[in-house]
Amino acid sequence: MTHASVKSERAAQTVAQHLESLILEGSLRPGERLLPERELAERLSVSRSTLRDGLRILEERGLLAPGGGRGSRVAPLGQAAITDPLIALLARHAEAADDYQEFRGIVESAAAAMAAARATEVELARIRDCLDRMDRAHAAADAQEEAEADAELHLLIYEASHNLTLLQIMQAMAGVLRSDVIQNRSRLFAVPAIRELLRRQHRAIAEAILARDAPAAQQAAGEHIRYLRQASREIREAEARLDLSLRRLNGGGAGTRAGATPPLPDAGP
């Protein structure tokens, strides 16, 4: 191998290591598309051929995926394990959904406390911006935008915790377990009174983090998840009662009810 090829290989490894660090720390999120090749090469001060070699290294490691003719994107890291059929099975059962909320309560309370102690000024500014986004959506009665701001705020808190293991696990789970089956987010945000309560809860968490009050942040996050857990449980129970009522109304689809016309008997030969 020539000196030039050795140098080129080292440069590609440096590119790969830099991008890998951005993925690990959460600067590049799963599914996020990288800059166009020309712009990214300029940002990293390398040639396009060196950049391609670096990207190829990360693709071989499973960290990048082809972007369908539009460059590379970060692979959906961690989701292969979390989309195991066992997880899908658990997600369909109420007790597992409740256990997930309990898990979130433990993790997010700790994450909020860590964020209050460790967040940088840049991260605090992003949390303020997210609160403003939530307030604007709330004022406009835009439930979808408010729900998306909700999800973003929780992810920002994980990032501000500066615990890379926690961030990567919760980031992977967020893409799979953010469904209504688990969190009932769309149902909750459909009720104006509940949206207002959730807004106050989110503000309490964020303001405690902004004030760098770790105990208050931990308490506010714990109260928020406990409320979500109880509300989700009540929604599931109400839906189960409704399903039972509907089955009784039509005989479970297998019987007849008074007033219904039974099938004609066979007259025979």
Side-chain angles (χ1 to χ4, degrees), residues 61-131:
R61 294 176 183 173
L63 296 176
L64 292 181
R70 298 175 57 195
S72 299
R73 60 181 176 82
V74 182
L77 304 174
Q79 293 183 18
I82 295 175
T83 52
D84 184 280
L86 174 61
I87 299 300
L89 175 64
L90 291 175
R92 290 195 294 270
H93 291 265
E95 62 272 21
D98 192 65
D99 286 348
Y100 170 67
Q101 293 286 17
E102 183 177 42
F103 168 76
R104 272 194 66 194
I106 295 169
V107 172
E108 294 201 16
S109 295
M114 287 187 280
R118 301 173 180 175
T120 66
E121 290 302 319
V122 171
E123 288 160 343
L124 294 179
R126 293 179 69 195
I127 289 173
R128 288 190 195 95
D129 290 343
C130 190
L131 275 183

Side-chain angles (χ1 to χ4, degrees), residues 104-161:
R104 272 194 66 194
I106 295 169
V107 172
E108 294 201 16
S109 295
M114 287 187 280
R118 301 173 180 175
T120 66
E121 290 302 319
V122 171
E123 288 160 343
L124 294 179
R126 293 179 69 195
I127 289 173
R128 288 190 195 95
D129 290 343
C130 190
L131 275 183
D132 290 342
R133 176 188 174 192
M134 191 177 295
D135 286 342
R136 289 193 301 272
H138 185 82
D142 187 339
Q144 178 63 33
E145 172 68 7
E146 194 170 357
E148 290 176 2
D150 167 1
E152 179 70 12
L153 178 63
H154 288 285
L155 185 54
L156 290 175
I157 291 171
Y158 298 142
E159 292 178 356
S161 74

